[in-house]
Amino acid sequence: MDLRYEAREAGEAAHQEIRSSRTLDEIEAIRVRFLGRKGILTLLLRKLGAVGPEDRKELGGLLNQVKNEITSVLEARLGELKQAAYSEGLAREALDITLPGRKARIGRLHPTLAVMDHLVDIFVGMGFTPVEGPEVESEYNNFDALNFPPWHPSRDEHDSFYVGEGYVLRTHTSPAQIRVMKSQPPPVRVVVPGRCHRRDTPDASHVVSFHQIEGLYVDYEVSMADLKGTLTAFAREFFGPETKVRFRPHFFPFTEPSAELDISCLVCGGKGCRLCKNSGWLEVLGCGMVHPNVFDHVGYDRQSVTGFAFGLGVERMAMLRYGINDMRLLYENDIRFLNQF
Ligand code: 2NL
């Protein structure tokens, strides 16, 4: 067949295919078919060897011209398709800045822990240092060092969780304070927040795992007046400056004398209502002067050091603070309840 004719045919065919190509893959296939190592143009150029010398120059020029035209048309189309693919990508990724944003649902502190932080802050403001201790404690630190007699009912398996021989889940945070006193000489002024466990049947004012904050101040001349001043200041800070307080005698194995602190009722101010069961007062915490037997256990000199201690239930504080009438509500994980605080 005539080489001139074939060259023009090939050029025509290539142009048409390139014009109707839609994808980068199609362009590449066309390039291989016309310009590749075994492509149509390459084969035609090879046939040039059989052409007589008189026509070779002209034919060679023609073939190269066709080849160059195909190449440049191909490049142009490739550019167009790349630009189109790029624009399409941009359009697909475009942000609609008029859409409403998604609300970020970040968590926050459980009301018990929020109240616990607040309580700790108040005592830190009065010079107490926060300290923590383990929840699994030796029976010795949890009971013996705190002057609990061997027959005390709270030592019973029915009242405490025993975890192996000689160990319990702490029933109060006092054992952490025993650790502090064993590890350093007076003065000691610490506040200990933490989770505690008692084998109570849950009701409106008891849950099995609860939180406590205890405080301990030991030095060479700490008096009951210091106790009363510190806890009165605390009550007015937490419950409001108008709060009235009273200290009522009580008993704890680890303090002597011991007392309970009452505040004037938050609802009726002292007149008597349902919350205070008509007494005008609400029980808030237990306190007292550290029993000398406790000092013996930690190696302090019972003759020369004195101290006061107190303990309060964090859940009870949260209930008083927020007007919650059943402690179990705090631990049902009902988001509708928790979102209120
Ligand atoms: C309550 C009563 C109290 C203490 C805790 C304490 C700790 C040591 C020595 C002496 Cl290391 N006492 N803690 C003292 C009095 C009362 O808690 O009813 N808490 C809810």
Side-chain angles (χ1 to χ4, degrees):
M1 200 189 284
D2 179 23
L3 214 47
R4 268 186 208 84
Y5 176 75
E6 281 190 84
R8 264 187 243 108
E9 281 285 285
E12 286 282 308
H15 278 79
Q16 218 161 55
E17 287 191 32
I18 291 166
R19 243 180 279 119
S20 58
S21 66
R22 287 279 167 275
T23 67
L24 300 178
D25 284 348
E26 278 174 37
I27 286 286
E28 176 60 11
I30 294 167
R31 191 191 64 76
V32 169
R33 204 144 57 75
F34 286 93
L35 307 175
R37 242 171 359 97
K38 292 180 183 165
I40 293 170
L41 258 291
T42 317
L43 295 180
L44 291 181
L45 277 163
R46 222 169 270 161
K47 285 187 189 169
L48 213 52
V51 173
E54 66 285 359
D55 288 336
R56 192 178 296 160
K57 196 167 175 211
E58 187 219 328
L59 265 175
L62 177 64
L63 282 173
N64 269 322
Q65 191 193 331
V66 169
K67 186 177 171 182
N68 289 340
E69 275 172 15
I70 293 176
T71 304
S72 69
V73 172
L74 201 81
E75 294 283 316
R77 183 65 181 151
L78 195 65
E80 278 173 27
L81 287 178
K82 277 187 175 161
Q83 181 60 44
Y86 179 65
S87 306
E88 200 181 292
L90 277 188
R92 196 171 41 239
E93 287 167 22
L95 290 176
D96 181 351
I97 57 168
T98 66
L99 284 174
R102 285 192 202 106
K103 194 171 177 187
R105 287 168 52 101
I106 56 169
R108 66 193 144 103
L109 286 183
H110 187 277
T112 302
L113 293 187
V115 168
M116 187 150 93
D117 279 358
H118 181 199
L119 293 166
V120 169
D121 280 349
I122 292 173
F123 288 108
V124 166
M126 294 196 275
F128 288 79
T129 302
V131 165
E132 290 181 278
E135 283 176 54
V136 175
E137 265 292 2
S138 64
E139 234 182 303
Y140 179 83
N141 283 346
N142 195 78
F143 293 123
D144 300 88
L146 288 156
N147 197 38
F148 282 73
W151 43 263
H152 196 281
S154 67
R155 288 180 181 257
D156 197 286
E157 287 212 38
H158 291 286
D159 289 330
S160 299
F161 290 103
Y162 282 80
V163 281
E165 194 58 36
Y167 289 88
V168 288
L169 299 187
R170 68 180 176 192
T171 58
H172 41 197
T173 59
S174 322
Q177 296 158 86
I178 295 297
R179 288 167 180 268
V180 171
M181 287 192 282
K182 280 192 202 162
S183 71
Q184 63 165 84
V188 164
R189 189 154 56 189
V190 293
V191 62
V192 186
R195 188 188 291 152
C196 308
H197 310 269
R198 291 184 192 172
R199 264 183 119 147
D200 290 324
T201 303
D203 62 26
S205 52
H206 296 84
V207 290
V208 170
S209 297
F210 59 99
H211 298 77
Q212 243 204 346
I213 291 184
E214 285 204 19
L216 175 72
Y217 178 23
V218 179
D219 206 339
Y220 290 91
E221 279 187 327
V222 178
S223 72
M224 188 97 186
D226 295 318
L227 178 158
K228 293 179 77 174
T230 302
L231 295 179
T232 301
F234 157 73
R236 299 214 166 117
E237 178 82 32
F238 189 74
F239 294 108
E242 303 304 314
T243 308
K244 289 186 276 295
V245 296
R246 75 175 182 189
F247 291 83
R248 216 172 1 87
H250 196 71
F251 175 83
F252 298 112
F254 32 80
T255 44
E256 181 59 35
S258 306
E260 280 193 324
L261 170 63
D262 294 345
I263 58 165
S264 47
C265 181
L266 296 169
V267 169
C268 65
K271 289 189 190 69
C273 67
R274 211 171 45 152
L275 179 64
C276 61
K277 301 203 183 75
N278 271 324
S279 72
W281 296 95
L282 298 171
E283 249 178 66
V284 163
L285 56 81
C287 55
M289 302 306 292
V290 178
H291 198 291
N293 289 354
V294 174
F295 289 141
D296 290 346
H297 280 289
V298 299
Y300 283 7
D301 178 9
R302 66 191 286 146
Q303 299 297 340
S304 54
V305 298
T306 54
F308 72 75
F310 58 89
L312 52 82
V314 180
E315 282 83 358
R316 178 159 174 77
M317 295 292 146
M319 290 170 74
L320 289 172
R321 177 84 183 210
Y322 294 128
I324 299 167
N325 61 12
D326 192 320
M327 196 178 286
R328 293 166 294 190
L329 289 169
L330 287 166
Y331 299 114
E332 284 179 348
N333 271 344
D334 186 333
I335 207 75
R336 295 166 303 178
F337 173 80
L338 294 172
N339 269 337
Q340 299 177 98
F341 307 107

